[in-house]
Amino acid sequence: FSIIYVLSSGINAEWPLRPGPMLCKGQCNGTEWCEGACTVDVCDLDSDLWRWENKHRTLISEFNLNCKNSLYKSVAGVVFFVPGMAIGLLFAGYLSDKIGRKKANMIMMAGSAVVSLVMGFSNSYEMFLVFQALLGLTLGGTMVTRVVWMLEFIAESVRPYASAISAQFFCIGTVLVAVADMYLEDWRMLDFIISGYSAIYVVAMVFIPESPHWLVTNQRDEELRNVIKKLNNMNTKKISLKEVKIVPVTKHKESGNICVLFSDKKIFITVLGLVYQWFLASFLYYGFFNLAGKIQGSVQWNIAIMGILEGPCILLGGLATTKLGRKFTLAIMLIVVIVSSFIACFDANITRDWTLRRVFTLIGSKFGSGPMFFVVYILTLEVLPTSIRAVGMSTCSLIARGGAAFGGVAVNLGITVNGYLNYVVFIGACLIGLAIAYLLPETKGNTLKQTVRDQRQAALDHRETVPKPVV
């Protein structure tokens, strides 16, 4: 799914498959096309006096998104995230808590397969935008719910490792976007690839059982026992059916109802802290991702290298999360970003071209910001109870989209106002994140909570174990 998501979010008028330089007729000997780029503004020429240098069939070249229409290029990316992903996150999270992880994911991914296929036959930019928003809705919703589904199968002792391995495919997807920009000649081919891949994913999900945690919370006794029998047939460590205990909950009032979280002050404060960490993770990740595009050289290779670097970063994060705990690992990552950004502020050429020191600073920042999503995912999953886990994580992810937008704003501040300003903003946001991380509960070694009542009791236990300041 990670590969599908990254490829899909990359389908817009500016990335991938950009048409490249333009050639103009009459620039060389009056009749032939020049070998080099145009030396005049093509917007001042008739359409028969210029053409694109390569023959790639892109959104820009097919729907004439240049000159006076160039403002519409970024609309494709906007509609994918808003309203597409925004609605999809809330809808899929609610659906996952109500009807189950498996059914919700299959519905959303089947929709993705159909939407991607139809979008490949768009004959106008307006039609493309409609299906781009629908693609964001289907894929955006599944982005969080499939993580919940996967990690609810995994024991606490190996959950970070499993999550880190899964995240490697996100890195692969980032590299594939760069490869697609280099070699694909038609943007529709990418749509058809996504459609086929989504269909295969739906078929694969048929053979994956429903989450046992969701079955426990929703009192599906018989289905739960069948799932446990399947797990016992595959695992060396067996689960005794006699130990299975259905948790009585008022599922119709609690399942999928995120308002229940705000019924307790302590839980509400914890959720606010988690929301900020999601916002901060997205802010730092996409902020430094945008900075990668400013490095001199090929944009495709820069993005591919950043995707390759992110893989081992996340694996190290998985190891640290298992050994050191969730909170301490999160704090280390924030400190790495602070130190890297602080070093960048001593670069004398910070307002000029990229220097070697700034490149290493960016790499160091990626080592800190890259695995943050992974740690925040696990921390949130282990804090929220099963009854509202999917809708709660979807809401956090929705707010994180705002962090992505502000990350781009911070980069632009450094370019247009002052070269130091974006790093100062990164450092200040991380310092606030450190203070909030200290107040969050440590979930290492804890079992997943099934109901809000269980979570309320866990919050109470955490308050009793937090050391009181000595005056």
Side-chain angles (χ1 to χ4, degrees), residues 12 42 59 121 163 187 196 212 216 221 237 271 328 353 363 399 419:
N12 57 65
V42 298
L59 289 169
F121 295 98
S163 183
W187 66 270
V216 166
D221 191 2
K237 186 174 182 179
V271 171
F328 192 59
D353 293 336
I363 294 175
I399 296 174

Side-chain angles (χ1 to χ4, degrees), residues 156 270 320-331 375 378-379 382-383 437-447 449 458 462 465-466:
E156 183 276 332
T270 300
T321 303
T322 302
K323 300 297 183 180
L324 305 177
R326 287 41 165 165
K327 287 177 55 175
F328 192 59
T329 302
L330 180 61
V375 177
I378 294 180
L379 184 60
E382 293 175 340
V383 166
Y438 173 77
L439 301 175
L440 292 175
E442 176 57 68
T443 58
K444 179 186 177 183
N446 296 348
T447 58
K449 308 299 182 292
H462 170 69
T465 56
V466 172

Side-chain angles (χ1 to χ4, degrees), residues 140-402:
T142 319
M143 182 179 66
V144 172
T145 56
R146 60 99 190 176
V147 177
V148 174
W149 187 18
M150 176 190 73
L151 293 183
E152 285 182 342
F153 275 102
I154 308 299
E156 183 276 332
S157 58
V158 294
R159 191 173 294 136
Y161 292 124
S163 183
I165 293 173
S166 173
Q168 299 305 301
F169 291 94
F170 188 92
C171 306
I172 294 173
T174 303
V175 175
L176 289 180
V177 169
V179 173
D181 186 67
M182 297 178 193
Y183 297 107
L184 287 183
E185 296 183 354
D186 193 332
W187 66 270
R188 300 175 191 272
M189 294 173 60
L190 192 56
D191 271 321
F192 297 144
I193 291 172
I194 294 170
S195 178
Y197 206 169
S198 299
I200 295 173
Y201 188 33
V202 173
V203 174
M205 284 191 287
V206 173
F207 303 97
I208 304 176
E210 180 57 85
S211 163
H213 283 276
W214 185 86
L215 294 173
V216 166
T217 304
N218 289 271
Q219 305 175 15
R220 304 292 183 90
D221 191 2
E222 189 62 32
E223 294 178 56
L224 175 63
R225 295 180 185 276
N226 291 333
V227 169
I228 290 178
K229 288 179 181 179
K230 291 181 180 180
L231 295 177
N232 284 340
N233 291 333
M234 293 184 290
N235 295 340
T236 55
K237 186 174 182 179
K238 308 299 181 182
I239 302 174
S240 174
L241 292 176
K242 296 180 180 179
E243 297 176 359
V244 177
K245 181 180 179 181
I246 302 299
V247 179
V249 296
T250 54
K251 62 177 183 178
H252 298 294
K253 294 182 179 180
E254 185 171 309
S255 294
N257 184 8
I258 195 172
C259 295
V260 178
L261 269 181
F262 308 133
S263 61
D264 185 274
K265 180 180 178 181
K266 300 177 183 62
I267 298 179
F268 176 68
I269 293 175
T270 300
V271 171
L272 284 181
L274 290 171
V275 164
Y276 181 80
Q277 298 298 341
W278 276 78
F279 179 91
L280 180 59
S282 184
F283 174 72
L284 295 175
Y285 181 88
Y286 288 102
F288 288 113
F289 192 85
N290 288 332
L291 280 175
K294 310 302 180 183
I295 301 177
Q296 294 176 349
S298 168
V299 175
Q300 296 95 330
W301 279 109
N302 290 342
I303 298 299
I305 290 172
M306 297 306 289
I308 294 172
L309 283 174
E310 196 167 331
C313 293
I314 293 176
L315 290 176
L316 288 174
L319 177 63
T321 303
T322 302
K323 300 297 183 180
L324 305 177
R326 287 41 165 165
K327 287 177 55 175
F328 192 59
T329 302
L330 180 61
I332 291 176
M333 293 175 182
L334 291 172
I335 292 173
V336 169
V337 175
I338 291 173
V339 172
S340 299
S341 299
F342 187 74
I343 292 174
C345 292
F346 287 92
D347 194 337
N349 298 316
I350 197 166
T351 58
R352 303 176 186 175
D353 293 336
W354 279 84
T355 63
L356 186 61
R357 185 190 303 179
R358 293 184 68 196
V359 172
F360 279 111
T361 298
L362 180 60
I363 294 175
S365 300
K366 287 294 292 182
F367 267 86
S369 63
M372 267 195 71
F373 264 124
F374 150 77
V375 177
V376 173
Y377 259 99
I378 294 180
L379 184 60
T380 308
L381 178 132
E382 293 175 340
V383 166
L384 295 176
T386 302
S387 58
I388 54 172
R389 182 170 294 128
V391 71
M393 291 186 67
S394 296
T395 303
C396 290
S397 182
L398 173 61
I399 296 174
R401 300 309 104 195

Side-chain angles (χ1 to χ4, degrees), residues 119-154:
M119 188 167 68
F121 295 98
S122 300
N123 55 17
S124 68
Y125 191 51
E126 291 76 13
M127 180 179 176
F128 170 82
L129 291 178
V130 171
F131 285 100
Q132 179 77 339
L134 291 175
L135 185 63
L137 188 152
T138 54
L139 285 179
T142 319
M143 182 179 66
V144 172
T145 56
R146 60 99 190 176
V147 177
V148 174
W149 187 18
M150 176 190 73
L151 293 183
E152 285 182 342
F153 275 102
I154 308 299

